[in-house]
């Protein structure tokens, strides 16, 4: 190990210190060991105390800091790509999660890139909230020396498309920073545009970084930026693993208003690993009946050849496996209206408020059913956007299930405009994919939704509906680790007899003592609707006691309503039990978030 040999030759350390340092080194992969070695050598060189036996490593006076705010992992991957390309060009690079970045360091930055998504009603993603609040506070410094670039990832289906990126861009400019390149706001199918923006950024920076003097070709950079594919999971969003569907079992009752499936998938032979809190990306095929109807409504023969992303394939193949047919979005109406010369749709495109209301109720097929038109196959393909895999919170711990991964999938199923509708991925898993069939998957890590490192730490988990998924994984993991920390779960759904997901497992955990407390809210079993936030308020004194004892708090599930209602209930508890006003209660929760004791996985 490079760092261990460095320590052995370095200025005196005690035998105990050497043992401790080697223990830490053993947890690092070779790439990380090399980076740490270079970092220590460079730090000592800057202090005028070069380490004996270590090669001198030059530290450029300029570093490109790349920060990401990511809800689903897309911004993280784009930031890592920028880091990889910049490192290959010889830049000193640091790529960092916004949740980990110390905002006070902003005044020392000279080159900064922010890649961020937007969540909900124009809000920053969970891991970017603290940085966002700092940047828009009175504490934010003037930044006349800073050069920056902002890249936004979003979805034009939503009203506040890329708003967080726009906010960052405008605020940095207001603080005196200068843009390296113009901000780009990218839609769901962002890959090609992100690559072009990245190239523009690197081209702009190359002359400036070329001026930075270095005494060596070796450059210290972010460890993850140089990690080879062999050192990480070999399968990814770009190269998914073809897994086998083991089991799909309905776990809601026959009379339930919900259709929830427990899914088990084999990862045998993949080498894929995951942690509790991670998500599984799932690719799917569209319903063949939906494809046939769409072709019939547009008068297109299924074997007509089309071009898509440099590939030549039939329109049926493109519609089945490559394009989005369920989720609707403004660009489709715009392009379809132009291709069909439909005046009603063209007028709708011009009225953004009406367009958004129209899209909220309709899938792509609904739009074409209302406005059938004879267009050619390439026009139809060009109007549709690339299908994106769906992410599902993993409902198992690998320590428990080994080479399997489990999901808890709520099937999107409803009637509208006189027709039955199914979700794209959930319908594929529930209705069209047979047990034993293949399914393309990848693991999306989520370092912002993790169990505490200390197994003695108590945890409070709030997960109604399919939000139970990661908490099943949490409980399996704590059971496997023999964790002594208390566990408290709040779960809710409409009916006890129909919708108590994983009831037997949870009750067994309760009997054996792994689950210290279980509070359930079945909203339709009582005259007055009771939800998880009401259960929290009823247990306010004990919730507060757990928080004061260092408990970590987790929320998973619906972000539009449930998570906001729970957040408000927590503020009420902190005010009432902690004797704080509203501002102090919010500050208390903010401090929990910064300390990673308040984490959300909401959608």
């Amino acid at each position: 190990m490079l760092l261990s040999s460095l320590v052995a030759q370095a200025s005196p350390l005690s035998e105990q210190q050497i043992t401790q340092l080697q223990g830490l080194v053993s947890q690092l992969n070779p790439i990380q060991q090399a980076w740490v070695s270079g970092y220590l050598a460079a730090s000592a060189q800057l202090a005028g105390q070069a380490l004996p036996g270590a090669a001198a490593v030059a530290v450029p006076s300029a570093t490109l800091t790349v920060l990401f705010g990511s809800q689903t992992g897309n911004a993280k991957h784009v930031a890592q790509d920028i880091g990889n390309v910049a490192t290959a060009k010889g830049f000193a690079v640091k790529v960092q999660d916004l949740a980990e970045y110390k905002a006070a360091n902003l005044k020392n930055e000279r080159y900064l890139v922010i890649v961020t998504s937007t969540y909900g009603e124009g809000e920053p993603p969970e891991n970017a909230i603290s940085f966002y609040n700092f940047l828009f506070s009175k504490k934010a410094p003037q930044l006349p020396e800073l050069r920056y670039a902002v890249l936004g990832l979003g979805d034009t289906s939503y009203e506040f498309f890329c708003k967080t990126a726009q906010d960052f861009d405008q605020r940095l400019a207001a603080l005196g920073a200068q843009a390296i390149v113009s901000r780009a706001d990218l839609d769901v199918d962002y890959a090609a545009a992100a690559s072009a923006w990245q190239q523009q950024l690197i081209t702009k920076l190359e002359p400036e970084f070329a001026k930075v003097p270095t005494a060596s070709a070796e450059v210290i950079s972010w460890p993850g930026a140089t990690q080879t594919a062999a050192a990480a999971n070999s399968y990814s969003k770009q190269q998914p693993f073809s897994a086998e569907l083991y089991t799909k079992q309905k776990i809601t009752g026959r009379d339930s208003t919900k259709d929830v499936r427990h899914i088990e998938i084999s990862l045998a032979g993949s080498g894929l690993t995951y942690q509790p809190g991670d998500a599984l990306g799932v690719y799917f095929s569209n319903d063949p009946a939906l494809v046939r109807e769409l072709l019939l409504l547009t008068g297109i023969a299924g074997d007509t050849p089309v071009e898509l992303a440099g590939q030549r394939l039939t329109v049926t193949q493109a519609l089945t496996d490559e394009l989005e047919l369920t989720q609707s979005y403004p660009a489709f109406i715009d392009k379809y209206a132009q291709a069909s010369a439909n005046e009603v749709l063209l007028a709708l495109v011009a009225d953004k408020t009406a367009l958004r209301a129209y899209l909220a109720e309709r899938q792509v097929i609904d739009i074409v059913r209302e406005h059938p038109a004879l267009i050619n196959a390439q026009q139809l393909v060009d109007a549709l956007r690339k299908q994106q895999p769906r992410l599902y919170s993993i409902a198992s711990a690998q320590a428990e299930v080994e080479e399997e991964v489990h999901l808890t999938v709520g099937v999107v199923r409803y009637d509208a405009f006189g027709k039955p509708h199914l979700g794209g991925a959930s319908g594929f898993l529930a209705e069209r994919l047979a047990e034993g069939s293949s399914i393309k998957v990848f693991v999306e890590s989520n370092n912002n939704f993790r169990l505490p490192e200390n197994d003695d730490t108590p945890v409070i988990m709030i997960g109604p509906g399919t939000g139970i998924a990661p908490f099943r994984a949490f409980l399996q993991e704590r059971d496997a680790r023999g964790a002594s920390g208390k566990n408290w779960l709040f779960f809710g759904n409409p009916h006890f007899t129909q919708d108590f997901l994983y009831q037997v497992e949870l009750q067994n955990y309760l009997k054996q003592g792994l689950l210290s407390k279980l509070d359930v809210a079945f909203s339709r079993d009582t005259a007055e609707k009771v939800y998880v936030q009401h259960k929290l308020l009823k247990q306010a004194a004990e919730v507060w006691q757990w928080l004061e004892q260092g408990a970590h708090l987790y929320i998973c599930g619906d972000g539009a309503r449930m998570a906001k209602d729970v957040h408000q209930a927590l503020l009420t508890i902190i005010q009432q039990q902690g004797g704080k006003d509203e501002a102090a209660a919010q500050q208390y929760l903010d401090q929990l978030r910064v300390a990673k004791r308040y984490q959300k996985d909401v959608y």
Side-chain angles (χ1 to χ4, degrees), residues 185 302 309 471 527 569:
D185 297 336
F471 302 136

Side-chain angles (χ1 to χ4, degrees), residues 28-344:
L28 306 177
N29 63 41
I31 295 289
Q32 292 169 325
Q33 291 169 15
W35 185 89
V36 172
S37 176
Y39 175 80
L40 291 176
S43 297
Q45 187 181 50
L46 287 175
Q49 300 172 354
L51 295 174
V57 183
V59 182
S61 59
T63 298
L64 178 64
T65 298
V66 185
L67 305 176
F68 59 86
S70 187
Q71 198 77 25
T72 62
N74 290 335
K76 176 180 71 175
H77 296 313
V78 172
Q80 289 173 343
D81 287 343
I82 293 171
N84 287 332
V85 172
T87 298
K89 292 289 186 180
F91 296 11
V93 181
K94 178 175 67 177
V95 179
Q96 198 167 12
D97 187 321
L98 271 166
E100 305 288 345
Y101 182 73
K102 293 183 179 179
N105 290 340
L106 188 60
K107 62 181 180 297
N108 301 319
E109 302 288 358
R110 292 297 172 265
Y111 297 93
L112 176 70
V113 176
I114 298 178
V115 184
T116 185
S117 60
T118 295
Y119 169 73
E121 297 175 359
E123 301 154 10
E126 190 67 25
N127 71 318
I129 290 175
S130 294
F131 179 81
Y132 184 95
N133 291 341
F134 171 84
L135 197 64
F136 281 86
S137 73
K138 294 179 180 178
K139 295 180 180 180
Q142 290 298 307
L143 301 168
E145 303 298 321
L146 178 67
R147 301 200 64 208
Y148 76 95
V150 176
L151 181 64
L153 303 183
D155 184 339
T156 51
S157 301
Y158 293 92
E159 181 179 358
F160 300 99
F161 173 63
C162 287
K163 186 177 184 301
T164 300
Q166 294 163 15
D167 289 347
F168 279 148
D169 185 23
Q170 292 166 11
R171 181 58 174 164
L172 289 170
L175 293 171
Q178 301 296 313
I180 303 165
V181 294
S182 298
R183 185 193 75 248
D185 297 336
L186 307 184
D187 202 357
V188 170
D189 191 8
Y190 60 83
S195 179
W197 184 88
Q198 170 188 283
Q199 185 56 53
Q200 182 187 9
L201 172 72
I202 298 299
T203 300
K204 283 275 191 179
L205 287 175
E206 267 192 288
E208 299 187 36
F209 275 75
K211 297 173 187 176
V212 177
T214 58
S216 165
E218 189 173 0
V219 179
I220 293 176
S221 63
W222 170 69
T226 56
Q227 188 169 346
T228 63
N233 283 331
S234 57
Y235 296 99
S236 64
K237 181 179 179 180
Q238 290 71 34
Q239 293 182 306
F241 174 66
S242 183
E244 179 186 347
L245 176 69
Y246 269 167
T247 301
K248 58 175 180 179
Q249 177 185 2
K250 188 178 181 185
I251 55 174
T252 44
R254 184 181 63 184
D255 298 324
S256 175
T257 56
K258 296 186 174 186
D259 182 354
V260 177
R261 306 294 176 103
H262 173 73
I263 306 288
E264 296 182 3
I265 295 170
S266 170
L267 299 179
S270 69
L272 284 169
T273 60
Y274 60 87
Q275 296 182 57
D278 288 343
L280 191 75
V282 174
Y283 283 93
F284 59 95
S285 297
N286 287 309
D287 187 346
L290 198 64
V291 172
R292 288 193 296 271
E293 184 181 4
L294 189 58
L295 292 173
L296 183 64
L297 291 167
T298 52
I300 298 170
D303 59 356
T304 306
V306 292
E307 295 283 340
L308 182 64
Q311 286 184 293
R312 190 170 178 82
L313 62 170
T314 69
V315 67
T316 296
Q317 291 172 321
L319 294 176
T320 302
D321 294 317
E322 304 293 335
L323 298 169
E324 183 64 65
L325 296 188
T326 48
Q327 295 178 348
S328 56
Y329 37 92
F332 171 74
I333 290 190
D334 187 9
K335 292 177 181 178
Y336 182 71
Q338 293 184 43
S340 60
N342 186 296
E343 293 185 4
V344 173

Side-chain angles (χ1 to χ4, degrees), residues 429-441:
L429 287 166
E431 301 292 342
R432 300 191 296 280
L433 189 68
E435 292 180 357
S437 300
S438 295
I439 180 171
K440 294 187 293 183
V441 301

Side-chain angles (χ1 to χ4, degrees), residues 488-506:
W488 188 353
L489 175 65
F490 288 84
F491 172 75
N493 239 348
H495 297 286
F496 172 82
T497 58
Q498 301 293 317
D499 307 306
F500 196 164
L501 308 183
Y502 303 113
Q503 177 183 356
V504 173
E505 289 183 24
L506 295 177

